[in-house]
Amino acid sequence: MKRDDAQDNSNMHTKKSIPPYMKAISGSLGGIVEASCLQPIDVIKTRLQLDRSGNYKGILHCGATISRTEGVRALWKGLTPFATHLTLKYALRMGSNAVFQSAFKDPETGKLSGHGRFLSGFGAGVLEAIVIVTPFEVVKIRLQQQKGLSPELLKYKGPIHCARMIIREEGFRGLWAGVAPTVMRNGTNQSAMFTAKNAFDVLLWKKHEGDGKVLQPWQSMISGFLAGTAGPICTGPFDVVKTRLMAQSREGGELKYKGMVHAIRTIYAEEGLLALWKGLLPRLMRIPPGQAIMWAVADQIIGLYERRYLHAAI
């Protein structure tokens, strides 16, 4: 009898597990909405990080200068690879994080420890950095650093042409320029983000995964926004170094930066310590709002699935 009760409890726990594919779908839809809203801030961030001569005086001046000299459309440069990149990245991030969490759960209680949640997030961040983030961001940054709108004056005519040119001139490895700092940045970001998002959901809204409670979009936005603030501050140097390594090409001679450590030393020596946090403000303007938008969409989809398929079956 006790064995049957234990089996029933185990079955109930299995029913309450949200499948990874639903997490992946929720993340990809959230990514589409986020990319459409926040692309201009990403363009400004990239231009500021690549500005060594002080042409831009700040976020507003950078945005105004781009709009005035290149047209408003220039603020959406690289949108196609950015939107595709976000959609695939969030699908992989949310799906792989769910798989890792399942692996780290206690087999008897089905509970996930804080340590397991942190490692699951780090694993998801490393995976997305290698598989998706690095090649897409190399293409996006090469497109964003081009000034002007006349196609005949631009080296790269679009994302596919850009990728082909990089492969032709630098080999396939060129698409993975800056992979080391990208792995460090994304692994750290996602371990902190998933841990913080769960903590804020519990602390602010008493929401536990699988309990059937669906957060209001504004509640998800608050939790997502707060969870997205710590990463950019901690990983600023990795993001700057990533951008510099991805932006440089072998055209015209030797590469300025030989790798992640060399780039950090060179930037520090030539531009000072604060240069390693260039673009931090636009990152804080983009990442926390981006997480707020993504989680507002994702939580609604996951909550709907919980309510319709998990708790309806109990």
Side-chain angles (χ1 to χ4, degrees):
M1 187 68 178
K2 287 182 178 179
R3 184 176 296 176
D4 291 341
D5 290 341
Q7 185 66 40
D8 289 341
N9 289 335
S10 175
N11 289 339
M12 283 182 70
H13 171 71
T14 302
K15 287 178 183 178
K16 288 188 177 183
S17 296
I18 302 168
Y21 75 84
M22 276 309 303
K23 296 287 189 75
I25 291 171
S26 69
S28 64
L29 293 176
I32 293 172
V33 178
E34 177 188 338
S36 302
C37 295
L38 300 178
Q39 173 69 359
I41 297 175
D42 196 70
V43 171
I44 291 171
K45 182 213 77 169
T46 299
R47 290 291 183 88
L48 286 173
Q49 288 182 336
L50 295 174
D51 181 27
R52 298 177 195 164
S53 54
N55 292 325
Y56 304 121
K57 311 305 179 187
I59 294 172
L60 294 178
H61 179 259
C62 180
T65 302
I66 293 171
S67 299
R68 185 178 65 254
T69 59
E70 304 172 51
V72 175
R73 282 191 300 133
L75 290 171
W76 274 266
K77 274 186 175 180
L79 178 60
T80 300
F82 185 54
T84 306
H85 152 242
L86 273 190
T87 302
L88 295 175
K89 177 176 74 173
Y90 284 150
L92 179 61
R93 175 190 298 175
M94 300 286 280
S96 63
N97 182 69
V99 172
F100 286 133
Q101 285 189 355
S102 297
F104 281 114
K105 280 180 179 177
D106 188 302
E108 294 182 2
T109 65
K111 292 183 179 179
L112 181 68
S113 66
H115 182 69
R117 192 179 301 278
F118 186 88
L119 289 177
S120 297
F122 190 85
V126 170
L127 189 61
E128 72 179 18
I130 295 172
V131 176
I132 293 173
V133 175
T134 302
F136 272 92
E137 289 212 357
V138 167
V139 171
K140 182 196 72 172
I141 286 170
R142 295 288 180 91
L143 290 172
Q144 287 179 347
Q145 72 176 338
Q146 297 186 126
K147 297 181 179 179
L149 279 175
S150 301
E152 63 273 10
L153 300 178
L154 300 178
K155 177 179 179 179
Y156 305 119
K157 313 304 181 187
I160 295 176
H161 179 259
C162 179
R164 286 175 176 170
M165 288 286 289
I166 292 170
I167 293 170
R168 185 184 309 151
E169 295 177 356
E170 305 167 44
F172 276 98
R173 289 182 61 186
L175 288 173
W176 274 266
V179 67
T182 308
V183 163
M184 293 300 299
R185 182 197 68 171
N186 282 57
T188 306
N189 266 343
Q190 301 327 311
S191 58
M193 190 272 291
F194 279 109
T195 302
K197 175 61 168 59
N198 179 74
F200 284 123
D201 281 350
V202 174
L203 181 66
L204 297 176
W205 322 119
K206 303 296 187 288
K207 160 68 181 170
H208 297 268
E209 184 172 312
D211 63 4
K213 180 179 180 181
V214 182
L215 295 178
Q216 294 296 319
W218 64 269
Q219 293 175 314
S220 296
M221 292 185 80
I222 291 174
S223 293
F225 186 94
L226 294 173
T229 54
I233 297 172
C234 298
T235 62
F238 293 129
D239 193 60
V240 171
V241 169
K242 170 198 72 71
T243 302
R244 296 286 181 92
L245 289 173
M246 289 179 174
Q248 67 180 358
S249 66
R250 295 184 182 277
E251 184 182 25
E254 288 293 313
L255 297 176
K256 180 178 176 66
Y257 306 114
K258 312 301 181 187
M260 180 174 70
V261 176
H262 180 259
I264 291 174
R265 288 176 176 171
T266 303
I267 294 168
Y268 174 74
E270 295 180 353
E271 303 171 55
L273 181 64
L274 290 180
L276 290 169
W277 276 268
K278 271 189 174 181
L280 176 61
L281 189 53
R283 280 192 82 203
L284 287 173
M285 288 177 64
R286 195 196 73 72
I287 293 177
Q291 290 302 299
I293 293 168
M294 192 279 292
W295 281 110
V297 175
D299 278 351
Q300 291 300 303
I301 296 169
I302 293 170
L304 180 65
Y305 182 89
E306 282 186 7
R307 204 163 41 179
R308 178 167 295 184
Y309 295 103
L310 299 187
H311 288 269
I314 295 175

